[in-house]
Amino acid sequence: MNRSDAVDGPAPYADEPAAAASRAAAPDVPDPTASYATERRVAADRVHLRRAIALALHSPLPDPNPRVGAVLVAPDGTVVGEGWHHGAGTPHAEIEALRAAGHAARGVTAYVSLEPCNHTGRTGPCAVALAEAGVARVVFAQPDPNPTAAGGGDTLRAAGVEVSGGLLADEAEAVNRVWTRAVRLGRPYVTWKVAATLDGRTAAADATSQWITSAAARADVHRLRAACDAILVGTGTALADDPRLTVRDVDGRLTGRQPLRVVLGDRPVPATAQLHSAEAETLFVPGHRPATALSQLHRAGIRHAWLEGGATLAAAFLRDGLVDEIVVYLAPTLLGAGRPMVGDLGIGTLADAIHLDLVDITPVGPDVRLILAPAGRKE
């Protein structure tokens, strides 16, 4: 039995030598022992990979880097090290686990929720670190979609490490759903949030809009804002509403890490505006091209942009196909007139309408939160 099979425990049959001799005489007869051992090995792989995926949930959100967990398991099935990534610039999950294991890392199987990285950034390549530590086998769930960091599996194989990838990939990818799509697209994942009346108005005819939705809905918005890297509005919203664009508690106090505030447009924002406060950093992006703004944000490490601009900016993103998710808070209120949810989309006939898939519907206080995505979109 080799080291990677040892995790499966002792052979399941007492007469293994006799069975092996019989199979040698009749090579076409299936080997039930091998099949059973493979099943047990895969079952063990699933258990340890799920632990790695669970550890990945401890990684910070938001962050430019993916959330990753790692588990090191000795040939006798003992877990000798665990770790997860604590954020950009800190050791990766594999390094954390190797440090926890120390000399016990030699000969282990490493279970990682994402393919070990293969590049040198703020830290060195994890694939090389695993090989140098004497790890015998690496099992990872999600292949790395980042072309800059991918290829760790090949590097490990070249170093003589047994590698298996793709098991529980969907479960691991769900932990990094937004990051994965952002990396594949080469731009931030964009969530458009809008609060409106039942007839689709975001403000009354006299421009009053506070508050269309309830305190419960507003608290929910702050909870979701906290998971984003940036909050984006246009100069129209900045001038009309003088927003803070921060994450706050029910008493209006700042909580946790603040997203980057981003203002798109050419009109100057007065120095007295709240967007110039020290509560959070603000980036002013000139022009009116959503793709240009997103490209700049992606280069700055922004992976999830929370779009809170008005109808005109929302329409610009939708026209360019740059909205990945829509979060709508609907109040049980009718206005009959006022600002619409979205501006002109350039659609002249029903056949050209933008269709959406309903992902989730949840009551929030007296309001309803809808989460939607462009119809038929694949992550």
Side-chain angles (χ1 to χ4, degrees), residues 13-201:
Y13 299 112
D15 62 343
E16 173 60 20
S22 175
R23 287 192 300 273
D28 293 334
V29 177
D31 181 353
T33 305
S35 176
Y36 184 75
T38 299
E39 290 177 5
R40 292 195 64 189
R41 187 187 202 191
V42 171
D45 287 349
R46 288 178 179 273
V47 169
H48 296 306
L49 267 184
R50 285 206 168 99
R51 173 60 181 169
I53 293 169
L55 289 172
L57 293 171
H58 292 291
S59 296
L61 188 68
D63 193 77
N65 291 347
R67 307 167 87 189
V68 183
V71 179
L72 304 184
V73 180
D76 65 357
T78 302
V79 174
V80 297
E82 292 185 338
W84 62 86
H85 185 43
H86 291 263
T90 67
H92 290 187
E94 298 93 322
I95 307 305
E96 291 278 349
L98 287 171
R99 288 178 178 176
H103 295 299
R106 183 162 296 278
V108 304
T109 295
Y111 294 90
V112 192
S113 60
L114 181 71
E115 181 182 8
C117 69
N118 197 43
H119 81 301
T120 299
R122 297 186 192 180
T123 59
C126 292
V128 173
L130 290 168
E132 290 179 346
V135 169
R137 180 172 178 245
V138 173
V139 181
F140 64 84
Q142 181 188 2
D144 196 330
N146 186 353
T148 303
D154 292 337
T155 294
L156 285 161
R157 291 186 186 94
V161 179
E162 181 184 350
V163 179
S164 177
L167 184 64
L168 304 183
D170 289 345
E171 293 183 25
E173 185 170 329
V175 174
N176 287 306
R177 178 181 66 93
V178 168
W179 176 86
T180 297
R181 181 161 173 80
V183 167
R184 288 173 177 164
L185 292 174
R187 63 162 176 80
Y189 183 99
V190 175
T191 296
W192 170 40
K193 168 262 168 182
V194 60
T197 61
L198 193 59
D199 54 344
R201 305 293 176 175

Side-chain angles (χ1 to χ4, degrees), residues 168-261:
L168 304 183
D170 289 345
E171 293 183 25
E173 185 170 329
V175 174
N176 287 306
R177 178 181 66 93
V178 168
W179 176 86
T180 297
R181 181 161 173 80
V183 167
R184 288 173 177 164
L185 292 174
R187 63 162 176 80
Y189 183 99
V190 175
T191 296
W192 170 40
K193 168 262 168 182
V194 60
T197 61
L198 193 59
D199 54 344
R201 305 293 176 175
T202 61
D206 66 354
T208 55
S209 60
Q210 296 184 337
W211 295 103
I212 283 178
T213 52
S214 65
R218 297 195 297 276
D220 196 58
V221 168
H222 283 277
R223 180 183 65 84
L224 295 179
R225 268 184 180 180
C228 297
D229 301 277
I231 305 174
L232 198 155
V233 299
T235 51
T237 295
L239 295 171
D241 298 343
D242 191 23
R244 292 170 68 184
L245 300 186
T246 53
V247 177
R248 305 183 296 276
D249 63 19
V250 293
D251 295 318
R253 295 172 299 201
L254 299 179
T255 60
R257 173 189 176 278
Q258 294 299 317
L260 174 69
R261 301 180 294 196

Side-chain angles (χ1 to χ4, degrees), residues 298-316:
H298 191 71
R299 290 194 300 271
I302 300 298
R303 300 294 175 256
H304 192 179
W306 182 259
L307 178 62
E308 287 202 11
T312 300
L313 188 62

